[in-house]
Amino acid sequence: MSEPVSKPVPVPSALSAPYWEGLIAGELRLQACADCGQLRHYPRLLCSHCYSRAHRWQVASGHGRIHSYTVAHYAYHPAFAGELPYTLVTVDLAEGPRALGRWLGDAAPAFGAAVQLVILHRESSPALAFTAV
Amino acid sequence: MAIKDRACVSGIGETRYLRGSPSSAVELQLEASLLAAADAGIAPHEIDGVIPIGVVSAIAEDFIENLGITDLRFSALIPHGGASPVMALQSAAALVAGGICKHVLIAFGRNVSAAANKAGARIHQMPQFHYVTEYEYPLGNIAPAQIYAPMAMLHMQRYGTTVEHFGEVAVACREHALLNDNAIMKKPMTLEDHRNSRLIAEPFRLFDCSLESDGGAAVIVSATERAADLRQPQVLISGVAVGHPDSPASITQRPDMTSLGLGKAAPRAFAMAGVTPADIDVAEIYDCFTYAVIRQLEDLGFCAKGEGGHFVAGGSLKLGGKLPTNTHGGLLSQAHIWGMNHICELVRQLRGSGGRAQVPDANVGLVTGYGDMGDGALAIMRRR
């Protein structure tokens, strides 16, 4: 018997820890520049608009639209073999940035379709997922 | 222009390409380096600049110690995956044009046959993938096929690019590989074979994906004015440029997911060389995936954005077609050597030593690099 393989686990940095704490608390947090307000995702040290280091965390509404997607049919990591085929969707969040998440629908996602965020509380790590509205 | 035609590729070297090489990446890199020096007709210790390429790679000190280099005047690392070899041509050309070095070695080796080095594990050791590793890998977005697939899906949705268009690229590369004794793939492929190959990450099928292979390749870039007495016909670097896409470390966050760094690099390289796409006799285009060739053809200006699928239809990329492309079989059917094999093949074509895959009267050609999540580079070369 081989050992069950676990999914890759994110290693939060000082910069990204609030993002991961947010997911555990059930919210998707986007980084917002405290000086000019520009949103950024994934978390970065500087605002590329005004170069400020100061930022706050803004909770995303969870509303968005399908930008693109792929359906995985091959497991590049053994921990995902049992989930094949699975769909990954790239979503234009209502706030502007994009998010990648797992697709919860049975049918293929439709380009431009409205979706709603669902946070999956998995054993390995919390995960973004989206469902049709 | 300060760089145009002042540097040439004086030597090329390639090991046997295979799966399951008993040699380490560094051994393959050094073997290829010796082959390139011999091809150029210079002694290895005459090399005075080195740009090592690869995730697992010899460093400058290893080259000094193994090649007996007595006076290394330059070394640098270029960490942009498959764009690195052509990016290194830009650095090397500037170095020899500027009088810093006489002979710059660009050397690559890889051995990915060990389980720890497979595609799904490898990229997560590379710092440029840190966003993917932290935010996307835990979701199951693991390997390049999955990471690039949404770009291709969007291209199909927006422009009507089809599975057959992808197949055209795969079939042309395979046909060329069958003419190449140093190609891994030996079986003919039809468009139907391509369509029937199993899905990996939609829209990519198995035959849309490049190979996992082991080997080493190296080139030597020399100052044109000093290369007149070297062994090979001179192949001049006429134009060379580099470009990075917006949001280079995350395709998810890229404003236009179908844009690449090559879109910024290509006009610069063509302007430097003083040629247009109509002047290109042969093209070696980085083919990590079939889709990548279609998209790069657009950025290179062979057709408008969105027209790449139509451009490749009807065998355009085959020998005898309107743009013979990847005449060695490419990453798709010769071997995945990070595009170092593309540079070597372009040089062979422009020397007229392309063997059974020689494009008649090949005078001007191009080679692209494509790295990580869309970093790009283009070199336009010509026979002197």
Side-chain angles (χ1 to χ4, degrees), chain B residues 84-102:
Chain B
S84 309
V86 179
M87 289 182 173
L89 286 180
Q90 180 198 47
S91 301
L95 286 164
V96 300
I100 308 287
C101 296
K102 291 181 202 163

Side-chain angles (χ1 to χ4, degrees), chain B residues 121-180:
Chain B
R122 202 163 57 229
I123 64 169
H124 300 291
Q125 300 155 11
M126 297 161 74
Q128 57 271 46
F129 283 90
H130 69 100
Y131 284 141
V132 175
T133 300
E134 180 167 357
Y135 301 101
E136 302 185 356
Y137 187 29
L139 294 167
N141 201 31
I142 300 161
Q146 298 165 332
I147 296 168
Y148 297 170
M151 306 194 288
M153 289 293 269
L154 207 55
H155 202 272
M156 297 173 91
Q157 154 79 4
R158 271 190 200 162
Y159 305 116
T161 309
T162 64
V163 174
E164 280 67 34
H165 294 150
F166 295 160
E168 288 278 357
V169 177
V171 167
C173 285
R174 182 60 59 87
E175 207 166 291
H176 299 157
L178 300 179
L179 303 173
N180 186 343

